[in-house]
Amino acid sequence: MKRALIAMLLCLMVARADASDVIEHKVKKGDTLELLAAEYYGDRNYAIFIMVANGLDHPRALNAGERLKIPASREVTADVGDSFESLAAAYLGDARRAPFLARFNGVDAGESLAAGAVLSIPFQITHTAAGVESLSDISAAYFGNAKNAQLLREYNFLDKDSLQAGESILVPIHHVRVRSSKLPPVDKASQERSEKRRKMVEEAKEALPEVRAAWRRGDYAAVKRELTRIDPDFLEVGPAVEIGVLLGAAYVATGDADSAIASFRRVLERKPSHALDGYRYSPKIREVWRRAGGQITAD
């Protein structure tokens, strides 16, 4: 962020960072706001966010020993059952912000979330207008350009393009991330989920070619043996759906309709829109798939 934009922001803002999204830093001799921004964010121009978090309305010298709050995006490892909606509600304040959380992480919001996946949660700044302020000006102050004015409007569910004095909005700082070396250690449960995801991805990659061949030759016992050791909740949607359909079909072929329905329902939980190709599967499999609540593309 250029100095002119920093000055503009300081003139506009009555702002605060979410207290739950900060790292505490004990100032050392020689520390400056710009050096801390470079240390934590890799860019000294982001010192403005440290100023906001600490209620500083102008740059000043730092005193050794004082404690500063460093606004930080957080890394969250998804658990089984987590969704963009539930995580947006927990960390961004509203489940309706799920599409933004997906977008900030470069993921399709229409896809379900794999357990063990790591998402970056942006820190948020509450900006309170000191006077009449346009969203374009607020965007320019925080992002360095006016292009995110529409994002601010949609993120805050507004039907207008400016704020009156005293009105507040949340500004998601998704483009600034703390260096990984500066983030707190990952908790044990998150590490275990990430490790399980890595393991399941490797096992699925190894097993699927063999399972497809076993299905083609009618070796349904082999299909079940290989796939029941893989937890599809930890896979991306594509392989999770393929595994669930193959496993469910193998259960049907061996006369276990209840297990087939359970497998098919897990598929539909991950991808409710998935429809079975009627030309590829037998009438018996199609019938059990329908009982599970699924649709057929063609009969």
Side-chain angles (χ1 to χ4, degrees):
M1 191 180 295
K2 303 301 183 184
R3 290 185 181 276
L5 287 173
I6 293 176
M8 173 186 174
L9 180 55
L10 293 174
C11 291
L12 286 176
M13 74 179 185
V14 179
R16 63 176 177 82
D18 187 327
S20 65
D21 298 330
V22 298
I23 298 170
E24 189 175 88
H25 176 87
K26 185 176 181 179
V27 173
K28 304 182 298 294
K29 183 179 179 180
D31 280 347
T32 67
L33 291 167
E34 289 189 340
L35 285 178
L36 290 180
E39 179 181 346
Y40 281 91
Y41 304 131
D43 190 329
R44 62 178 54 220
N45 288 318
Y46 291 145
I48 185 60
F49 299 114
I50 300 175
M51 294 173 62
V52 167
N54 292 277
L56 305 178
D57 58 7
H58 63 278
R60 67 163 174 81
L62 302 180
N63 300 311
E66 73 173 301
R67 296 184 181 277
L68 293 179
K69 298 173 182 177
I70 310 295
S73 56
R74 71 177 81 190
E75 302 293 305
V76 172
T77 304
D79 203 348
V80 175
D82 280 343
S83 65
F84 287 114
E85 289 77 11
S86 66
L87 293 178
Y91 294 106
L92 301 182
D94 198 305
R96 292 176 294 172
R97 295 192 172 111
F100 295 97
L101 181 57
R103 186 196 311 176
F104 297 156
N105 284 275
V107 181
D108 183 351
E111 297 286 345
S112 59
L113 193 56
V118 178
L119 297 180
S120 178
I121 310 292
F123 64 88
Q124 299 183 114
I125 287 176
T126 300
H127 177 93
T128 302
V132 177
E133 297 176 14
S134 71
L135 296 181
S136 294
D137 284 344
I138 296 171
S139 172
Y142 286 100
F143 298 103
N145 59 65
K147 296 179 181 179
N148 284 308
Q150 186 63 26
L151 180 150
L152 294 177
R153 175 174 172 147
E154 295 173 357
Y155 193 82
N156 289 278
F157 320 115
L158 299 177
D159 59 0
K160 57 185 180 180
D161 295 315
S162 62
L163 302 182
Q164 300 299 309
E167 291 185 318
S168 298
I169 61 170
L170 284 175
V171 181
I173 308 301
H174 60 89
H175 62 299
V176 177
R177 297 188 180 182
V178 170
R179 293 177 183 271
S180 58
S181 61
K182 291 295 184 179
L183 291 173
V186 177
D187 64 272
K188 183 178 179 180
S190 295
Q191 289 178 337
E192 290 174 349
R193 290 196 295 274
S194 292
E195 175 58 24
K196 183 173 181 179
R197 173 168 162 73
R198 184 197 63 77
K199 182 179 179 181
M200 291 297 101
V201 169
E202 288 183 358
E203 290 190 7
K205 184 177 181 180
E206 180 180 329
L208 274 171
E210 297 180 12
V211 168
R212 293 175 189 129
W215 174 259
R216 288 193 295 269
R217 66 176 182 265
D219 188 353
Y220 307 123
V223 173
K224 291 190 292 182
R225 183 176 60 251
E226 291 296 318
L227 295 186
T228 50
R229 62 187 176 87
I230 298 173
D231 188 341
D233 286 334
F234 286 80
L235 303 177
E236 297 298 332
V237 172
V241 166
E242 182 178 7
I243 284 172
V245 169
L246 281 169
L247 182 58
Y251 280 129
V252 173
T254 54
D256 188 352
D258 289 341
S259 295
I261 289 173
S263 184
F264 288 157
R265 283 177 176 166
R266 289 187 76 179
V267 169
L268 294 169
E269 287 173 1
R270 291 298 305 275
K271 189 174 183 180
S273 64
H274 185 72
L276 210 64
D277 185 345
Y279 290 115
R280 293 183 59 190
Y281 297 95
S282 69
K284 184 178 290 188
I285 292 173
R286 297 200 301 267
E287 189 273 331
V288 176
W289 173 259
R290 285 195 181 96
R291 286 170 57 190
Q295 301 295 313
I296 308 292
T297 57
D299 283 310

